[in-house]
Amino acid sequence: MFCLMVVDDEEPIREMMADALTMFGYQVVTAIDGVDALEKLEKTKVDLIISDINMPRMAGFELLKNVEKLYPTIKRALITAYNLDDYMHNVLENNIGNVITKTAPFNFDEVKNMVSALLEGNIFGLDRYMLHPSTQKKFSLTKPNQIDDVSAEIAAWYSNDTQLHKFRTVLIELMTNALFYGSRREAGDSKHNWDRNFTLPDDLAVNVTFGVDREKVGVSVLDRGGRLDKHTVLYWLDRQITPGQNGLPKGIFDVHGRGLFITRKYVDRFIINIEKAKLCECCIFNYFEEAYTGYKPLLINEI
């Protein structure tokens, strides 16, 4: 049985998380802050640590930095009630891919999926994020001219007109990048030079899965180029968020990498699943109603 440690100075959050993770089938220990956590780690074998960011005595980033140094096999994740954008540079510096946000109501399914991904490497497939029953349809992209057709067919299923334009814009961006940058291995900063007259072999086709359940719509875009990794994703997100010397985002004039930031901004949930040098899956979700009030999480799973 996997053992998890929950570190949070707020007792109600700490106990709520511990109870939920226990119900999911994990052994759970708790700590009130970073100092307490390090003391308990000397005596307890832990597989995953989930820590709050802002705590007395030792903050979450300092704790996870110590954990990485002292216990490099322990998986790490953060949890916060605050805007993750304010911490993006710290997240990049510490190479942390998963930051759960405290929403109202708390999204326990999100936590369950994150923990499963980190501990079991079970990361790919839209179905693991959808409620049942759900309606799904699959597409295989081998040519650029299929992008508009697939996005139009998916849009026809989408009933929320107020979100449709942004959702379709993001979907086209993800499919384009998967087809050209991922599978074709074109240069991301030279889009004007991309060859647009090609047909990919079936083993390099981009797989698109669309799903609808009672609370949301979701799309998975998977390519076999293997060009993205967690650090690269964090780097491009940080450049669009963290201010430079002029007070503007460091990457405000970047022509490459902005799609990741725009995707995260435009959709309710953005999940990136990566098998190094093999697969990259981008999953996007929009809820029919405002299901969870709070800031958006960061969900990048890499195996």
Side-chain angles (χ1 to χ4, degrees), residues 11 15 45 57-58 72 83 85 101 114 123 126 134 159 167 171 206 211 219 237 244 250-251 258 284:
E11 183 178 3
E15 295 305 317
K45 183 182 182 300
R57 297 203 295 174
M58 183 182 293
N83 188 350
D85 290 359
T101 48
M114 180 197 76
I123 63 175
L126 184 72
S134 67
S159 60
F167 196 80
L171 178 57
V206 172
V219 179
L237 288 176
K250 293 178 291 187
R258 289 176 59 85
I284 55 175

Side-chain angles (χ1 to χ4, degrees), residues 243-271:
Q245 292 182 347
N246 58 5
L248 298 173
K250 293 178 291 187
I252 192 169
F253 298 115
D254 290 351
V255 296
H256 177 50
R258 289 176 59 85
L260 296 169
F261 169 76
I262 292 170
T263 299
R264 188 167 179 272
K265 180 179 179 180
Y266 276 5
V267 301
D268 292 333
R269 289 295 182 270
F270 181 30
I271 302 172

Side-chain angles (χ1 to χ4, degrees), residues 24 67 128 138 142 152 175 197 209 259-261 267 270 272 282:
F24 296 153
V67 169
R128 67 187 301 271
K138 298 181 183 296
T142 58
M175 290 191 293
N197 184 23
T209 305
L260 296 169
F261 169 76
V267 301
F270 181 30
I272 303 177
C282 292

Side-chain angles (χ1 to χ4, degrees), residues 5 25 34 57 163 173 189 199 281:
M5 176 179 283
R57 297 203 295 174
Q163 294 178 327
E173 174 79 12
D189 57 355
T199 300
E281 178 185 48

Side-chain angles (χ1 to χ4, degrees), residues 107-135:
N107 195 334
F108 290 107
D109 284 336
E110 205 158 68
V111 175
K112 183 178 181 181
N113 283 328
M114 180 197 76
V115 171
S116 172
L118 287 170
L119 292 176
E120 302 168 26
N122 177 25
I123 63 175
F124 292 108
L126 184 72
D127 190 60
R128 67 187 301 271
Y129 303 107
M130 305 300 293
L131 302 176
H132 296 280
S134 67
T135 300

Side-chain angles (χ1 to χ4, degrees), residues 8 35 38 109 194 219:
D8 200 308
V35 174
L38 289 177
D109 284 336
W194 283 358
V219 179

Side-chain angles (χ1 to χ4, degrees), residues 42-246:
E42 292 179 359
K43 307 171 185 176
T44 307
K45 183 182 182 300
V46 169
D47 299 291
L48 166 64
I49 184 167
I50 303 174
S51 172
D52 189 20
I53 291 179
N54 293 314
M55 298 180 294
R57 297 203 295 174
M58 183 182 293
F61 284 110
E62 184 180 355
L63 168 61
L64 294 194
K65 185 178 293 185
N66 279 291
V67 169
E68 183 180 34
K69 179 181 178 180
L70 298 171
Y71 309 99
T73 61
I74 295 179
K75 307 290 185 181
R76 304 172 300 149
L78 288 167
I79 184 169
T80 185
Y82 299 99
N83 188 350
L84 178 57
D85 290 359
D86 296 336
Y87 301 98
M88 189 57 71
H89 195 65
N90 300 94
V91 170
L92 169 64
E93 287 184 331
N94 290 276
N95 199 37
I96 297 168
N98 285 269
V99 185
I100 288 290
T101 48
K102 300 173 184 177
T103 60
F106 199 84
N107 195 334
F108 290 107
D109 284 336
E110 205 158 68
V111 175
K112 183 178 181 181
N113 283 328
M114 180 197 76
V115 171
S116 172
L118 287 170
L119 292 176
E120 302 168 26
N122 177 25
I123 63 175
F124 292 108
L126 184 72
D127 190 60
R128 67 187 301 271
Y129 303 107
M130 305 300 293
L131 302 176
H132 296 280
S134 67
T135 300
Q136 295 193 17
K137 186 161 186 177
K138 298 181 183 296
F139 306 87
S140 180
L141 300 182
T142 58
K143 302 176 182 179
N145 61 11
Q146 292 175 293
I147 292 175
D148 283 339
D149 294 339
V150 170
S151 67
E153 186 167 344
I154 289 175
W157 286 68
Y158 199 93
S159 60
N160 190 329
D161 292 336
T162 60
Q163 294 178 327
L164 176 58
H165 176 70
K166 289 182 178 179
F167 196 80
R168 188 175 180 184
T169 298
V170 165
L171 178 57
I172 291 173
E173 174 79 12
L174 291 178
M175 290 191 293
T176 300
N177 284 338
L179 202 64
F180 286 89
Y181 177 76
S183 295
R184 283 278 294 179
R185 306 187 72 80
E186 298 277 7
D189 57 355
S190 301
K191 293 184 179 181
H192 56 285
N193 291 325
W194 283 358
D195 177 12
R196 299 178 184 273
N197 184 23
F198 63 83
T199 300
L200 291 175
D202 289 341
D203 62 340
L204 287 179
V206 172
N207 294 335
V208 179
T209 305
F210 170 72
V212 181
D213 63 28
R214 64 177 180 270
E215 70 172 13
K216 63 184 178 295
V217 295
V219 179
S220 158
V221 179
L222 183 145
D223 73 73
R224 294 169 176 79
R227 299 191 68 186
L228 277 184
D229 57 61
K230 180 173 65 175
H231 184 270
T232 299
V233 174
L234 293 173
Y235 171 81
W236 289 115
L237 288 176
D238 175 64
R239 286 190 60 80
Q240 298 301 320
I241 294 171
T242 303
Q245 292 182 347
N246 58 5

